Amino acid sequence: MAQSGGGGGGMAAKRGKLSSSGAGAGAAGEDRLSALPDDVLVLILVRIGLTAEAARTSVLSRRWRHLWPLLPELRFDNTPDGHRIGEVLGAPDPPPPLRFIYVFTEDSSPDSLEAWLPVAARRLSGDLFYFNALPFKEKVEEEEEEEEEEEDQAGESDAGAVQLPCFENATGINISLALLGLTLPPAGTFARLVNLALYCVRLRGPCELSDVVSSQRCPSLQRLTAGNIRGVDRLTIHSETLLELDLYYLKGLLQLTVVAPKLKVLKLLGCFDMDKPVASISAPRLQVLKWRDSYDPSSVQLGDLGQLRRLKADCVLVYCEHGSVENRRVLNLWQQFRSILMLNIVLTYPPDIIGSLPYSIEDITVLPRTIFLTLEVKNEGHNFGPSSFHMLRLCTGIRRLSLVLNTSKGLESACQSGCTCDQPANWKTEELSLNRLTEVEGTDLRGAEHEVVFMERLFSWATMLKKMEITFDYSVTKSKARELLQTLASFSRPEALVEFYMYDDADKESTYMLTTEDKEL
């Protein structure tokens, strides 16, 4: 290869020489990158990602030293020193607003967080994502045991808790504290806050969560998520703007009151430890209700739900004592609705079916009338044909069915010889008319014999079927998928369109379609 000049001069010319100005355009030593305007260079630094990496560009020249503090987005990954984060946040003078702050730490202390949270509150005009991880599972168990003792103590001190400042201009706050204590700000307005998510937090007084999330202090709040929260025994939300509310595992919750005229989605999971929870919901525009929690119509008031379109109750135990508390609360919720557009049913099997444990699914004799049915089956390797057949007999007017199989890892072959899960066997021979069913989706099929038999029966019941989509579980090999494709396709009528899919990877975020013509799967 020809060289221009000697002593590496050609290479030096190609690299260019860093300078503090853009003068000398066209000269051999020109630093064209530094000649770009500041706002363009800041955009380049944003694409670098982590703030620490962007800060290293300050060694290039004097001009670059003041650029990285101007970043509109800051990312700190596993930064142990909160004081260093505070210094970075407070470096610019005057400090420009930030549209995004991401911080990941491991086993951080309240003092470390308070070194940067107040500065972040002053500068942030966008979203905050903070995740504090625990290094060992044993520590999680230890903290949960300590929590039992702390909750029994009256007047729990807020010493050692993180003091959350008021983020007046933030639009999103997403915080996970690994069960650190958190004290909410007693004053101030989160004027622009749209999304608030709190995870793994022990809330400590004197300010209550109810005081913060209602309209008076969060006038723009649209989405509220609270998960694995301790220290909330009564939660009252009065919000004129809230659209989505997701509450799960609020340990110790005794009473829930929601007054939200614009609320569209309400999700509740594992919050009440009692059989008769106290709750009052006023949400006339609610469209989606996922109540996977204790329910008793005498103590839970759901108000006017005339616009409700989708309902999901807690799991139905296929094998349990007749009249069990778990199944009774599901039935009580279903009985509040004569009809619902979309109904989600979750059938749950135990890993081992004990002979004396009754087959209790037949205690369910009526379901709300529905058009779109989602049947999620946590069968743990057992034959789900009998229970699914029974549920389909109770909703023969459905037009679309989504069958989702969910087996815990390692239990795919838990069903042993002689297991009674295939009883009663009438589902294999008894006729069922699903003459309005036109669309079926089957997700995470593994190709077990009972799955294939059930799909064959489903084809025979759905005489008006127009389309079926089947997605195989990621564990299914390509050769097995081709075998299943040919078997299942042989069950369909010529007028039905049957499509088969496989996942691109274990994340199950995308799929690709298979056809009967595929030769190399």
Side-chain angles (χ1 to χ4, degrees):
M1 179 181 292
Q3 298 184 3
S4 56
M11 235 5 174
K14 289 182 180 181
R15 284 196 302 265
K17 182 179 179 181
L18 292 173
S19 65
S20 59
S21 70
E30 178 190 8
D31 175 13
R32 295 187 178 183
L33 185 60
S34 292
L36 295 172
D38 283 359
D39 55 349
V40 176
L41 293 177
V42 168
L43 288 176
I44 294 174
L45 293 181
V46 168
R47 293 183 176 275
I48 290 178
L50 294 178
T51 301
E53 299 295 330
R56 292 191 179 100
T57 61
S58 61
V59 303
L60 298 178
S61 71
R62 290 183 179 179
R63 178 164 180 235
W64 285 80
R65 293 176 188 174
H66 81 278
L67 286 176
W68 72 267
L70 301 178
L71 288 171
E73 302 178 4
L74 297 179
R75 292 175 171 83
F76 303 92
D77 192 6
N78 204 11
T79 304
D81 188 359
H83 296 278
R84 176 55 182 158
I85 298 176
E87 292 174 359
V88 172
L89 288 169
D93 187 19
L98 289 168
R99 67 188 183 209
F100 184 83
I101 300 176
Y102 169 85
V103 180
F104 173 84
T105 59
E106 189 173 279
D107 198 18
S108 187
S109 67
D111 290 341
S112 181
L113 270 69
E114 291 182 1
W116 61 269
L117 273 176
V119 187
R122 292 192 295 269
R123 289 191 60 188
L124 186 63
S125 62
D127 296 339
L128 167 67
F129 285 84
Y130 174 65
F131 184 81
N132 182 39
L134 284 173
F136 303 107
K137 180 180 178 182
E138 290 79 4
K139 188 165 186 178
V140 177
E141 298 172 348
E142 177 183 333
E143 295 236 9
E144 290 179 346
E145 292 175 359
E146 292 175 355
E147 166 202 15
E148 299 281 348
E149 300 176 0
E150 292 180 2
E151 291 181 347
D152 290 337
Q153 298 176 359
E156 185 182 41
S157 171
D158 60 358
V162 178
Q163 307 288 326
L164 183 70
C166 181
F167 286 75
E168 296 181 352
N169 295 314
T171 57
I173 297 176
N174 190 312
I175 295 178
S176 180
L177 290 185
L179 292 179
L180 285 178
L182 181 69
T183 301
L184 300 173
T189 302
F190 295 79
R192 300 179 63 238
L193 190 64
V194 176
N195 303 316
L196 174 61
L198 299 176
Y199 305 98
C200 298
V201 171
R202 297 183 191 180
L203 289 177
R204 298 181 177 177
C207 184
E208 302 288 342
L209 181 62
S210 301
D211 300 329
V212 174
V213 298
S214 293
S215 285
Q216 187 174 0
R217 297 189 60 192
C218 281
S220 303
L221 189 64
Q222 295 183 11
R223 283 171 288 276
L224 172 61
T225 302
N228 291 310
I229 304 294
R230 312 296 191 257
V232 180
D233 55 358
R234 287 172 175 81
L235 179 58
T236 300
I237 301 173
H238 290 268
S239 177
E240 300 293 327
T241 57
L242 193 63
L243 300 178
E244 298 180 18
L245 177 60
D246 188 357
L247 306 175
Y248 60 93
Y249 302 126
L250 303 189
K251 187 172 183 180
L253 183 66
L254 301 175
Q255 183 173 339
L256 173 66
T257 302
V258 178
V259 180
K262 294 184 179 179
L263 190 68
K264 294 183 178 181
V265 178
L266 173 59
K267 302 177 184 179
L268 199 69
L269 172 63
C271 293
F272 294 109
D273 291 333
M274 62 197 78
D275 293 337
K276 295 186 66 172
V278 178
S280 176
I281 311 296
S282 177
R285 297 187 184 180
L286 195 68
Q287 297 181 7
V288 177
L289 175 61
K290 297 184 178 182
W291 192 285
R292 302 190 63 184
D293 215 313
S294 297
Y295 177 84
D296 189 299
S298 66
S299 59
V300 176
Q301 306 301 319
L302 294 179
D304 178 17
L305 297 181
Q307 296 189 27
L308 194 68
R309 296 170 57 85
R310 183 173 181 178
L311 175 65
K312 183 174 185 178
D314 208 350
C315 300
V316 176
L317 303 181
V318 178
Y319 289 86
C320 65
E321 296 298 331
H322 293 290
S324 68
V325 173
E326 294 83 359
N327 283 1
R328 187 170 66 247
R329 66 190 185 191
V330 175
L331 291 174
N332 286 339
L333 180 59
W334 284 344
Q335 289 171 0
Q336 306 308 306
F337 303 91
R338 295 184 61 184
S339 63
I340 191 74
L341 181 65
M342 293 176 280
L343 180 63
N344 289 54
I345 298 176
V346 183
L347 302 180
T348 302
Y349 283 71
D352 297 315
I353 298 177
I354 304 174
S356 60
L357 199 60
Y359 175 71
S360 57
I361 194 71
E362 292 183 343
D363 292 347
I364 301 174
T365 58
V366 63
L367 291 174
R369 292 194 304 272
T370 187
I371 295 177
F372 306 130
L373 175 65
T374 297
L375 195 58
E376 182 179 347
V377 185
K378 300 181 178 181
N379 63 314
E380 309 297 28
H382 293 292
N383 189 335
F384 60 87
S387 60
S388 300
F389 173 69
H390 177 73
M391 303 308 286
L392 289 174
R393 281 194 303 185
L394 301 178
C395 46
T396 56
I398 59 173
R399 299 178 186 175
R400 186 172 68 198
L401 170 66
S402 176
L403 176 65
V404 182
L405 304 184
N406 189 342
T407 299
S408 301
K409 188 175 181 180
L411 294 178
E412 297 87 352
S413 302
C415 184
Q416 302 297 321
S417 177
C419 181
T420 60
C421 63
D422 63 341
Q423 300 297 323
N426 59 331
W427 68 279
K428 297 180 181 179
T429 57
E430 189 172 326
E431 292 302 318
L432 176 62
S433 178
L434 300 177
N435 54 16
R436 295 185 181 181
L437 182 59
T438 59
E439 295 184 25
V440 173
E441 292 181 0
T443 304
D444 288 346
L445 272 73
R446 298 174 181 268
E449 181 180 356
H450 66 266
E451 294 178 3
V452 175
V453 174
F454 181 81
M455 295 307 295
E456 182 179 13
R457 296 297 291 148
L458 185 58
F459 274 109
S460 69
W461 299 329
T463 56
M464 303 301 292
L465 188 66
K466 295 180 179 179
K467 183 178 181 180
M468 177 178 285
E469 293 183 1
I470 296 176
T471 302
F472 298 117
D473 187 80
Y474 182 70
S475 63
V476 176
T477 63
K478 294 181 178 181
S479 58
K480 180 67 173 180
R482 181 169 181 80
E483 177 185 339
L484 290 171
L485 181 153
Q486 295 174 341
T487 300
L488 296 175
S490 68
F491 301 149
S492 66
R493 292 178 173 82
E495 62 272 17
L497 174 64
V498 183
E499 297 177 343
F500 299 88
Y501 294 86
M502 291 191 72
Y503 291 109
D504 286 317
D505 50 44
D507 293 334
K508 298 185 178 181
E509 293 182 354
S510 59
T511 60
Y512 62 92
M513 187 171 68
L514 308 177
T515 68
T516 54
E517 286 76 27
D518 289 330
K519 298 301 182 183
E520 296 182 2
L521 295 181

